Amino acid sequence: MGQVLGFEALKQQVSDGTVDTVLVCAVDMQGRLMGKRFHAGHFIAGAWEETHCCNYLFATDLEMATPDGYASTSWEKGYGDYVMKPDPDTLRPVPWLEGTVLVLCDILDHHTHAEIPHTPRAMLKKQVGRLAALGYDAMMATELEFFLFARSFDEISAGGFRDLTPISAYNEDYHIFQTTKEEHVMRPIRNHLWNAGIPVENTKGEAEAGQEELNIKYAAAMDTADYHSIAKHAVKEIAHQHGHAASFMAKWSHERVGSSSHVHQSLWQGGKPSFYDAGDDLGMSGLMKSYVAGLLKYAPDYTYFLAPYINSYKRFMKGTFAPTRTVWSIDNRTAAFRLCGDGTRAVRIECRIGGSDINPYLAMAAMLAAGIAGIEEGLELAPPMRGDAYAGEGGSIPGSLIAARDALKGSDMLRQAMGDEVIDHYARAAEVEIEDFERVVTDYEVARNFEKA
Ligand code: ADP
């Protein structure tokens, strides 16, 4: 990432009183910003070199519980510290908070200072490094879809999550009038992110009442993941400042469509798009064909990283623009993989499997691993699917978290690419979600069985 705010400039802003707070953040397994608020004076006096966090932060769930079964940490091991090492290239203003800047950290072992392999930034760095060894850079873009609600998180929570009224009453796909009514939230989101050095392209209404999409210009994979995490955090905070909730849950109602995070992918070499071949009918190079064949072959292996919760799998429904089949197509939104920009230098593959609940570092790391495997194995790409993929043939996306966990655990490709420790760690994270859900009696069961069973 091109530096947005240099350390010398920060020192100046601290001394003239423009900045007094530094958010020192890690990105956790769920893709959230976790960390500490430093007094800026203390940060520039020394905390910029490193600080610490409890290692349970990378072995927990959405509720911040301490589940057992992780090799990296436990009650028995005493839940010690990791080093949080600020990455100066990520230092940037947080224009929606007064006097505040933010920096993202890499997470290191307390004693050896080696990167912790199952932390999201380390996982993506590793796959970007493997690709660099082959001579390529990954250029990626992640789309962020989410719902805005009339009330705030706190009001909705106090009401037992029952009053889920979206901010608008009808489908607002590309709808300028309806989205004008939401500009008190969406305009600050675009402008604050832009002023934080995040290259926002646009926002638009999406295909449901209250559904929004935020697009950020494609960039190197690591920058894209950083942008995504900061942008998602900003959307929640800015919506909160205006009395609204913003939800990135993949499917908040079975009667509505879900929210996605499509991932656009292309490989480049020396600033030139290596996916482009002017001599091919669709403009696809041999490299691109093998990469896409890898994405297709290994889609079940890495689906967990695109759909990490029980709820994520409720999104994969016929006729909702969320895919069900692992096939590729030319500009066809019914397939899991959609070829975009065919015949042009912008030729790229869009993976449509991921929900808005992805952790972008993990999603991109896993897809890069699959694409690299496709290149290394010299895989041939089958012809594209045509027509309605929901009605057609082809491989299926795992239908549940249990199936995705099994595919993850059994993936030799991911074990080789990421290491056993990492795969066992995330297979355990999937199990924790499954165990918790199996224990809880849901509203659905009570309403269905209470009288009638
Ligand atoms: P859609 O029809 O899916 O909305 P867009 O034209 O809006 O497609 O582009 C979606 C995303 O693709 C944008 O974030 C854009 O920056 C990104 N993108 C464009 N070119 C490339 C590329 N060569 N590689 C990766 N992403 C790209």
Side-chain angles (χ1 to χ4, degrees):
M1 179 183 307
Q3 204 176 49
V4 178
L5 177 63
F7 194 57
E8 288 310 312
L10 174 65
K11 278 192 192 157
Q12 182 54 44
Q13 292 180 7
V14 176
S15 75
D16 69 21
T18 318
V19 169
D20 55 57
T21 300
V22 183
L23 303 180
V24 178
C25 301
V27 182
D28 74 0
M29 292 162 70
Q30 291 75 20
R32 301 173 294 188
L33 300 190
M34 294 285 168
K36 307 176 188 176
R37 293 183 133 84
F38 275 83
H39 192 282
H42 185 71
F43 181 78
I44 58 174
W48 63 272
E49 287 195 272
E50 64 176 56
T51 180
H52 297 85
C53 65
C54 176
N55 62 20
Y56 101 109
L57 271 187
F58 300 91
T60 186
D61 59 7
L62 283 169
E63 304 280 11
M64 313 298 291
T66 49
D68 61 12
Y70 285 110
S72 59
T73 189
S74 59
W75 288 117
E76 207 198 331
K77 288 190 170 175
Y79 284 114
D81 265 354
Y82 287 146
V83 170
M84 296 174 72
K85 176 90 184 153
D87 174 349
D89 286 347
T90 65
L91 187 64
R92 54 180 9 95
V94 181
W96 61 96
L97 297 178
E98 215 177 317
T100 302
V101 301
L102 173 151
V103 72
L104 296 178
C105 297
D106 292 316
I107 306 301
L108 315 180
D109 182 273
H110 190 60
H111 304 288
T112 65
H113 272 215
E115 271 198 80
I116 301 298
H118 60 268
T119 57
R121 291 189 103 231
M123 285 170 65
L124 181 54
K125 251 190 237 174
K126 179 165 177 172
Q127 301 312 314
V128 167
R130 291 181 67 223
L131 192 66
L134 296 177
Y136 300 105
D137 303 315
M139 299 300 279
M140 305 273 211
T142 53
E143 300 174 17
L144 289 94
E145 290 180 5
F146 56 93
F147 277 85
L148 280 181
F149 290 88
R151 290 171 189 266
S152 70
F153 281 125
D154 297 334
E155 288 164 336
I156 290 171
S157 167
F161 295 94
R162 301 221 161 262
D163 184 13
L164 297 179
T165 309
I167 196 169
S168 68
Y170 54 83
N171 179 334
E172 59 184 89
D173 204 17
Y174 297 96
H175 213 287
I176 297 299
F177 178 47
Q178 178 54 48
T179 51
T180 296
K181 295 191 229 164
E182 294 150 9
E183 274 292 84
H184 63 292
V185 189
M186 298 308 293
R187 182 170 177 237
I189 288 173
R190 290 191 304 275
N191 291 341
H192 285 322
L193 286 173
W194 183 272
N195 293 333
I198 294 182
V200 169
E201 288 184 344
N202 55 55
T203 59
K204 65 179 274 294
E206 260 296 329
E208 246 306 348
Q211 196 177 28
E212 317 285 339
E213 178 177 285
L214 166 67
N215 287 303
I216 298 171
K217 189 173 164 53
Y218 69 98
M222 199 65 192
D223 290 346
T224 288
D226 290 347
Y227 293 158
H228 181 120
S229 312
I230 296 167
K232 178 176 170 184
H233 183 84
V235 166
K236 286 187 175 180
E237 284 194 347
I238 295 167
H240 173 78
Q241 287 172 340
H242 291 84
H244 299 291
S247 179
F248 290 79
M249 190 173 177
K251 186 95 173 171
W252 68 271
S253 164
H254 60 276
E255 289 165 346
R256 315 252 182 175
V257 303
S259 292
S260 314
S261 184
H262 302 150
V263 183
H264 292 252
Q265 311 173 41
S266 60
L267 300 190
W268 294 56
Q269 194 167 50
K272 296 210 171 91
S274 310
F275 272 9
Y276 181 53
D277 178 352
D280 182 77
D281 282 357
L282 295 169
M284 295 172 79
S285 66
L287 181 86
M288 179 175 192
K289 289 178 183 170
S290 293
Y291 182 95
V292 175
L295 287 182
L296 286 166
K297 175 176 173 185
Y298 293 110
D301 298 40
Y302 62 77
T303 292
Y304 166 73
F305 289 119
L306 296 172
Y309 306 112
I310 297 279
N311 176 259
S312 314
Y313 294 81
K314 310 241 160 116
R315 193 182 129 253
F316 301 130
M317 262 186 58
K318 250 171 97 154
T320 63
F321 290 108
T324 55
R325 298 218 172 268
T326 54
V327 291
W328 78 284
S329 65
I330 305 161
D331 193 16
N332 177 333
R333 288 187 167 84
T334 65
F337 298 92
R338 168 179 165 237
L339 183 71
C340 299
D342 56 286
T344 74
R345 282 168 53 85
V347 66
R348 59 191 184 274
I349 194 75
E350 175 195 44
C351 173
R352 299 175 60 82
I353 301 174
S356 48
D357 52 358
I358 58 165
N359 178 331
Y361 300 88
L362 309 187
M364 284 190 263
M367 285 193 280
L368 281 177
I372 292 171
I375 295 167
E376 288 181 342
E377 295 171 31
L379 294 182
E380 300 268 333
L381 184 61
M385 183 281 317
R386 291 179 199 276
D388 178 0
Y390 295 118
E393 313 257 292
S396 295
I397 296 168
S400 68
L401 185 56
I402 297 177
R405 183 272 321 264
D406 290 347
L408 172 72
K409 247 180 146 165
S411 175
D412 291 336
M413 183 281 289
L414 285 176
R415 286 184 179 278
Q416 268 175 25
M418 295 184 169
D420 285 332
E421 185 214 312
V422 171
I423 299 308
D424 291 339
H425 188 86
Y426 283 93
R428 178 64 195 138
E431 259 155 30
V432 169
E433 288 295 314
I434 295 162
E435 284 167 10
D436 224 41
F437 186 73
E438 284 177 346
R439 189 179 54 80
V440 170
V441 177
T442 63
D443 289 356
Y444 166 82
E445 290 161 275
V446 174
R448 195 172 174 95
N449 293 26
F450 187 81
E451 177 181 335
K452 300 170 202 116

